[in-house]
């Protein structure tokens, strides 16, 4: 499943806000590390493109470089985007990737108690990644994502969070719950 138009626009807007709010500091810090302005965006896009074509290792490498840059810049937003791109935000995971889990949790910690679309997306991704290895924790993260998305009030964010909850329910014995969530996703 690819990124829809609204999600792509949200990513672009977030990167522009980051770039505008930290432009001077960011440019100076990038140059200190031998990087050029805009390289963060390129790393994120490379991570996503590599994931879409199945080059998971290359995707992870690009996302980790973006995460390192985010830590250097002190940017929770860039760290979150790097965590989401690590291996691909829209690529289902059927095995536990502890590096991605740590990166997602680090990103959540960087936001603290802040309510944000990126936080809802991080919680959703964490729920999806944990779905087959820790169902209770996956359900908790999915519920947090849905609750936050409801408070944010954007239909696209809510639909995305609901899809994570739907995925985290997994097996057929929870079919009734999954049908309720599916109907709500369609209604949103």
């Amino acid at each position: 499943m690819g990124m829809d138009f609204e999600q792509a626009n949200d990513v672009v807007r977030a990167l522009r806000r980051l770039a505008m709010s930290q432009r001077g500091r960011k440019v100076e810090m990038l140059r200190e590390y031998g990087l050029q302005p805009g390289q963060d965006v390129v790393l994120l896009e490379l991570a996503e493109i590599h994931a879409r074509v199945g080059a998971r290792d290359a995707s992870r490498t690009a996302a980790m470089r973006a995460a390192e840059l985010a830590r250097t810049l002190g940017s929770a937003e860039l760290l979150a985007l790097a965590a989401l791109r690590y291996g691909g935000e829209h690529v289902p995971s059927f095995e536990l990737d502890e590096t991605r889990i740590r990166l997602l949790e680090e990103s959540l910690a960087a936001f603290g108690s802040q309510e944000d679309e990126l936080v809802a997306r991080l919680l959703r991704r964490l729920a999806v990644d944990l779905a087959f290895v820790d169902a209770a924790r996956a359900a908790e993260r999915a519920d947090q994502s849905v609750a936050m998305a409801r408070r944010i009030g954007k239909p696209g964010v809510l639909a995305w969070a609901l899809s994570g909850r739907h995925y985290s329910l997994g097996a057929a014995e929870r079919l009734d719950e999954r049908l309720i969530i599916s109907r709500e996703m369609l209604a949103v």
Side-chain angles (χ1 to χ4, degrees):
M1 173 181 4
M3 188 181 315
D4 69 23
F5 183 74
E6 184 179 340
Q7 291 166 334
N9 278 336
D10 288 345
V11 170
V12 170
R13 280 193 294 274
L15 289 170
R16 284 184 184 149
R17 279 195 313 270
L18 174 65
M20 294 306 290
S21 69
Q22 298 183 4
R23 178 96 178 128
R25 179 174 169 252
K26 180 179 164 186
V27 169
E28 181 180 311
M29 291 181 84
L30 285 169
R31 288 200 174 121
E32 285 176 21
Y33 288 88
L35 303 171
Q36 297 301 314
Q39 191 165 357
D40 54 341
V41 177
V42 172
L43 289 169
L44 291 171
E45 291 306 313
L46 278 173
E48 183 67 22
I49 290 165
H50 284 308
R52 287 183 185 198
V53 299
R56 290 177 64 180
D57 290 340
S59 172
R60 290 174 175 152
T61 299
M64 288 306 287
R65 289 197 60 207
E68 290 166 16
L69 180 58
R71 290 180 193 106
T72 301
L73 296 172
S75 171
E77 193 168 16
L78 181 56
L79 185 60
L81 291 169
L84 291 168
R85 293 293 194 286
Y86 182 88
E89 181 176 4
H90 310 289
V91 179
S93 180
F94 299 104
E95 59 191 40
L96 181 63
D97 184 333
E98 292 186 23
T99 301
R100 186 205 302 257
I101 299 296
R102 281 192 303 275
L103 192 54
L104 289 165
E105 289 175 341
E106 178 186 358
S107 298
L108 286 168
F111 276 95
S113 61
Q114 182 179 344
E115 300 241 331
D116 188 278
E117 291 175 40
L118 279 174
V119 175
R121 285 172 55 196
L122 289 165
L123 289 165
R124 181 235 181 246
R125 181 71 234 193
L126 194 52
V128 168
D129 280 0
L130 294 170
F132 296 106
V133 293
D134 188 342
R137 204 164 138 217
E140 178 185 347
R141 292 305 193 179
D143 289 344
Q144 290 171 337
S145 176
V146 170
M148 185 175 292
R150 288 188 198 289
R151 289 189 298 272
I152 290 169
K154 290 189 174 180
V157 176
L158 178 57
W160 194 239
L162 287 167
S163 75
R165 178 65 179 135
H166 184 274
Y167 188 89
S168 73
L169 290 173
E173 63 267 7
R174 311 246 351 236
L175 184 59
D176 289 342
E177 261 183 283
R178 293 183 75 184
L179 286 171
I180 291 167
I181 292 169
S182 294
R183 287 185 189 109
E184 185 175 0
M185 283 190 300
L186 291 172
V188 178

